[in-house]
Amino acid sequence: MSTAILTGQPVPGASIEGDLRSLGFDVRTAADAAEAETLLARVPSQERVALVDARFVGHVHALRLGLTDPRFPLAAIPGAVTAQPAARQALTRALARENSAGGTTLVDSLADRLVGALDTEVHRPELGSLVAEVPTDPQARNEARQSVAAVDDEAVRLKSAVKARDGFFTTFCISPYSRYLARWCARRGLTPNQVTTASLLTALIAAGCAATGTRGGFVAAGVLLLFSFVLDCTDGQLARYSLQYSTLGAWLDATFDRAKEYAYYAGLALGAARGGDDVWALALGAMVLQSCRHVVDFSFNEANHDATANTSPTAALSDKLDSVGWTVWVRRMIVLPIGERWAMIAVLTAVTTPRITFYALLIGCAFAATYTTAGRVLRSLTRKANRTDRAAQALSDLADSGPLALGFAEAFKNPARGLPGFTAPAVALLGGLVVVATSALTDFGGPWPIVAALFYAVTSGLAVARPLKGALDWLVPPFFRAAEYGTVLALAVNAGVNGALPAAFGLVAAVAYHHYDTVYRIRGNAGAPPHWLVRAIGGHEGRTLVVTVLAVLFTAAQFKVALTVLAVAVALVVLVESIRFWVSAGAPAVHDEGEPA
């Protein structure tokens, strides 16, 4: 239960007390600041508390946005301020200062005075057309009430439930009706996590239908995949509609999207195999490409998250293009975000074959990756930005360097200081190309991939030997991901036995989960996974070396089994630690409102 303290004399006919109760607040009244301080001290420390001016006039949704959002310790709107338990002391100190200063009259709003007196950051939600006022006379109160009546509170709430920036397909083909599904769920007490889970189950059923290998199964898979995406949009809209944000929900929403898509790839590959067409290499290639695309997005954003003097002619041109309406949607569609991507996969699954579906997916994602990466490289080269230690640490965490690479990094620390600024991405790319090419072009079971993997470990150490603050250093983590995943793919293809590619798919999926988990921990300001976890699973260079050693020590059939065992071991370790963290940690909820994935 949350507590709201109404300050000042009640206004006849005011709805504020009822509005607060409808939002779940236990309402108490205080005639002045001294009584408010006494009531505040009586509220249990583990509860949210709000101070609201009794003269407040406004929409219920304005109160909801200002007083119930769980993401912010302190929040305020005109005439009201709220504190969660973590910020209670700051509010108590501000109220004590107000009392010691003799502020016991309510000529001005006590809540507003407290916001000015707070010694920490206060979140102020964007209200738009919603009304939140503290009128001081009957005429102003009447005008405020007329303003409230002129705006449809529920329409604004529904509109705000939709993500501000999204893809064309999602904006025009899904959100116009999924927002009403979100409202339907809210009115029946469903939570975003339940909708997220329903979306996952629907996608898994779609993958199972695709795995049947029949035309009816493929049609059903396409329809169910689209419905899974509708639910995927609904869970976020439900969270925004009802302000039900949570750390666990953020993790489920982020990781289940990847799990759904990659499980569907596996279902398509199984279905194709039933029809005598082996497309596991295409399925794994699609997962590798899509994962690397995401790492490019994450790395670039983290590198420039808090950079100073962060401007470039390329960015200015992009902003100008965004001012021309139709170019915005064309550019969002070109990058093949999740809505467009899933719609394409669903339609092609229903009317063509898995092989054609994967060809289209690979071509589309490759074009999108080239377009976005080239634009970001141009921005980085033309931008004059000073990157912070936080950005360098985030890139280092995303690199996922293990004991081998860190050992070489320590050895290269002094020599690396005198190398050119492009050294880090250049050597990361060189080492990755060498190990992937050697694994792909030499005979299976030969020693050369091990030599190449050792060379890759050395170059990986050199790449991270100094802080990643260079203009293109954000490319280092994507190069590492491409090298590791590409090596596993190449060796599985060269093994040439049934089951090797599915085992490789499982291993890459487990490792990719670890990398996505790292991203969302960083986004939640919770830091990278613990060092023991990175050491336990070897780091990217350690796993790459282990896979090449397995290819030499075992026959092709045994290599398949070894990959399966390694995939299960990595998956168990990272899943147990990830679940432990997200269930128990106090990391803030992170719901992505930026670029669509």
Side-chain angles (χ1 to χ4, degrees), residues 426-437:
V427 297
L429 177 60
L430 174 63
L433 288 174
V434 168
V435 69
V436 173

Side-chain angles (χ1 to χ4, degrees), residues 408 427 430-435 449-461 545:
F408 285 119
V427 297
L430 174 63
L433 288 174
V434 168
V435 69
I450 295 180
V451 177
L454 289 171
F455 176 75
Y456 173 64
V458 174
T459 58
S460 297
L545 180 59

Side-chain angles (χ1 to χ4, degrees), residues 20-44:
L20 289 170
R21 293 189 189 281
S22 72
L23 295 176
F25 284 94
D26 177 27
V27 181
R28 305 174 188 180
T29 59
D32 53 30
E35 188 176 356
E37 184 176 12
T38 302
L39 291 176
L40 178 61
R42 293 176 182 172
V43 177

